[in-house]
Amino acid sequence: MMPISQILSDNVRLLKTKATRPAIYGVTIAVGAIVVASMLASFINHGEITLSGIVDAQRGNVALWALDLMPFIFAFWGQYVSSVIAYEAGAMVIDQTQDLRTKTSALEYQAMHDATHDALTDLPNRVLLRDRLQQAIHSAQREKRALAVLLLDLNRFKDINETLGHYQGDRLLKHVASRLKHVVREADTLARLGGDEFAIILNPLTSLEDIHTVVSKIQKALAPPYTLDSLKIDVQASIGAALFPEHGADADTLLQRIDVAMYAAKQEKKNFVLYSEKLDQQSPHRLTLMSELREAIKNDELSLRFQPIVSNRTNGVHEVEVLVRWDHKIHGIMTPDEFIPMAERTGLIYPITQWVIKHALIQHVAWRTMGLDMGIAVNISAQTLLDPEFPDQVTGLIAAYDVSPHRLTLEITESSIMFDQELALHILGRFADMGVRIAIDDFGTGYSSLSYLKKLPVSHLKIDKSFVLDMLENENDAIIVKATIDLGHNLGLEVIAEGVENQQTLDLLKQRGCDAMQGYHINYPLRGEDFAPWFYGASQWGQRHSAGLTIN
């Protein structure tokens, strides 16, 4: 490109070769002035204006000689002024053009940056990640070495977004991105794929130990609680990984397989899972099941089982725990462990929970018409518990089927309470005001604070069956069970033991003062239509109820 000074000089040089308008105007005015002055001089000298008089005036009048120079002066002045104006105008145009070029370049760069980077965290997005991954693969192929790709998904981020709002969710993602930037090496690539998913390219990879080192650093980096407007949020992540060339030879294959590995980590509740072919075989099955589960909910293809709970005080059945099953046309009866984790990940847990409560209330009404006023206890996931609309939905169902609120118990886990304590306390308070009872399920397996526990409107503790099953042989388990019973009573709560599978365990729990028990020794979970015949038939607890014992 020609220098700006050269362009301006050429423009001025070109301008000097032509008469400019100011120069022409100046010459015209000067010539007119000379003619008028000569005519006046002729009139003054001869009393008339004649050609010879004008010539004589030009010859003898010194003032006219000076005036005769004016056309040349005006011509020079006009050309000079025009040159200056042209130079300044050209410089202005060139400056503005340069500014426009600079702004255009900046806009082009910003547009390219926006197309390849995440707007929230300014990390590379999926497009740039795929491009860098493909380049890394080509480099690894030439140098005959390996690389790894990791996919990280935040656990329960959907609950935070729905509970605290997208603004707070975005703030949390920025904090997470900031922490992750300090984990990866300079040669690695950290990207945000969208939502709460982040990806990392580890290049180069010397051994599998490199992956485990990075995973350990990620978990340590995410471990400290995040503070959002005085709320402390604990966040952990599920991580899936795949290797080049072992698990895929191109970017698309590796990205697909880290997604499979990450989902397996979520489903198995592990921090990290490395891809294997077995996981890939399960992926299409998972997608098919999710589609079928959505239809099963709509078509009432789920079913309920009811496990009796026996009161120590009355020795009679006073309540049942509601358990859901999926009557799959191909796979047969599927237990919650086979489809509830997937439902929680995909959001289907909300319609499933409503379906379970609705049909449990329907069964309660059916039993009530038979003279069997049985309380029902329903398990509630953390996602459902922290949904602000959940109490209103339960209120509507209770009113629709005319069920007394105190006949419904919601069973929640310690971890679901501790995930967002303030919101959990608010929602549980709403249920308590309604008269719905709250039980803490699997007590002893979580990390709840006892000082916070006493603030909750909880009426029951349920001892996890892992402690009850071996309490006859394991003295430590027996001590834990006894301590939990005493703790519950000191807090004014009733205590229920799960996992009672023999008479000896039942007798020992009664001796220790446990308020209620459930387990296979009492009975397996029964279908609704089978419960009443068992209760009024061969059941020793049902016979006691028939004899007129009071049921809580």
Side-chain angles (χ1 to χ4, degrees), residues 30 88 201 298 346-347 359 366 422-423 452 455 472 485 514 522:
E88 292 178 349
I201 301 175
K298 293 180 181 178
T346 59
H359 287 79
E422 296 302 322
L423 180 61
Y452 190 79
K455 301 178 184 178
L472 295 177
I485 294 172
C514 190
I522 299 169

Side-chain angles (χ1 to χ4, degrees), residues 113-124:
H113 183 272
D114 292 344
T116 57
H117 287 75
D118 173 55
L120 180 66
T121 62
D122 202 40
L123 293 174

Side-chain angles (χ1 to χ4, degrees), residues 245-498:
E246 183 178 347
H247 299 143
D250 60 83
D252 291 334
T253 301
L254 289 174
L255 292 175
Q256 184 267 333
R257 288 178 174 172
I258 59 173
D259 185 72
V260 171
M262 183 275 294
Y263 176 79
K266 271 195 173 297
Q267 189 174 28
E268 298 170 15
K269 297 183 179 179
K270 295 181 178 179
N271 290 335
F272 170 71
V273 167
L274 183 63
Y275 170 82
S276 68
E277 291 185 1
K278 181 177 70 174
L279 297 177
D280 209 19
Q281 293 168 0
Q282 294 174 353
S283 184
H285 172 67
R286 168 173 57 87
L287 293 175
T288 301
L289 281 181
M290 284 300 93
S291 177
E292 293 174 344
L293 179 56
R294 195 180 304 274
E295 293 301 316
I297 298 171
K298 293 180 181 178
N299 300 330
D300 285 340
E301 295 175 5
L302 302 179
S303 62
L304 298 181
R305 304 292 187 273
F306 303 89
Q307 186 168 36
I309 300 174
V310 171
S311 168
N312 187 16
R313 181 170 60 85
T314 65
N315 205 32
V317 177
H318 70 294
E319 191 176 33
V320 293
E321 180 177 355
V322 181
L323 305 170
V324 64
R325 300 288 186 269
W326 182 5
D327 300 331
H328 198 280
K329 297 176 182 178
I330 298 176
H331 304 293
I333 304 297
M334 299 180 66
T335 62
D337 292 341
E338 297 177 84
F339 62 90
I340 290 298
M342 292 186 290
E344 290 178 337
R345 175 172 167 79
T346 59
L348 289 177
I349 191 64
Y350 298 105
I352 287 179
T353 302
Q354 291 189 45
W355 190 95
V356 170
I357 294 178
K358 172 184 175 181
H359 287 79
L361 293 176
I362 291 174
Q363 184 62 67
H364 171 85
V365 172
W367 285 336
R368 195 172 61 194
T369 59
M370 303 167 57
L372 186 59
D373 188 12
M374 193 67 61
I376 53 175
V378 180
N379 291 281
I380 304 299
S381 69
Q383 292 96 318
T384 306
L385 173 64
L386 299 178
D387 180 3
E389 297 181 0
F390 181 54
D392 295 328
Q393 295 168 351
V394 174
T395 300
L397 289 172
I398 289 176
Y401 295 100
D402 192 24
V403 176
S404 176
H406 79 276
R407 305 307 285 154
L408 173 64
T409 300
L410 301 180
E411 296 187 358
I412 57 177
T413 61
E414 295 173 82
S415 58
S416 65
I417 299 172
M418 303 311 295
F419 181 68
D420 188 336
Q421 298 180 1
E422 296 302 322
L423 180 61
L425 180 61
H426 171 70
I427 291 179
L428 292 178
R430 291 181 61 185
F431 279 118
D433 293 339
M434 291 164 51
V436 174
R437 298 187 300 175
I438 305 296
I440 297 183
D441 196 14
D442 300 335
F443 186 78
T445 61
Y447 307 95
S448 60
S449 166
L450 295 180
S451 62
Y452 190 79
L453 180 62
K454 66 182 182 181
K455 301 178 184 178
L456 297 172
V458 174
S459 58
H460 295 74
L461 292 183
K462 298 191 74 172
I463 306 174
D464 186 68
K465 64 181 179 181
S466 62
F467 302 114
V468 176
L469 289 173
D470 297 327
M471 63 180 295
L472 295 177
E473 291 79 21
N474 190 316
E475 182 62 25
N476 289 334
D477 283 349
I479 292 174
I480 291 173
V481 170
K482 181 63 169 64
T484 304
I485 294 172
D486 292 341
L487 172 65
H489 289 166
N490 289 334
L491 292 174
L493 307 177
E494 294 187 21
V495 181
I496 303 172
E498 300 178 299

Side-chain angles (χ1 to χ4, degrees), residues 50-119:
T50 62
L51 180 59
S52 60
I54 293 174
V55 172
D56 289 341
Q58 282 289 331
R59 287 176 179 176
N61 194 325
V62 178
L64 290 178
W65 294 354
L67 188 62
D68 290 341
L69 295 175
M70 294 303 295
F72 302 100
I73 295 174
F74 273 104
F76 176 80
W77 174 81
Q79 289 294 102
Y80 174 76
V81 170
S82 298
S83 300
V84 172
I85 293 173
Y87 188 91
E88 292 178 349
M92 185 181 299
V93 170
I94 290 175
D95 288 344
Q96 291 179 347
T97 303
Q98 191 66 26
D99 288 343
L100 288 173
R101 286 176 178 171
T102 302
K103 291 179 181 178
T104 301
S105 298
L107 290 173
E108 289 176 351
Y109 173 81
Q110 188 63 42
M112 184 179 299
H113 183 272
D114 292 344
T116 57
H117 287 75
D118 173 55

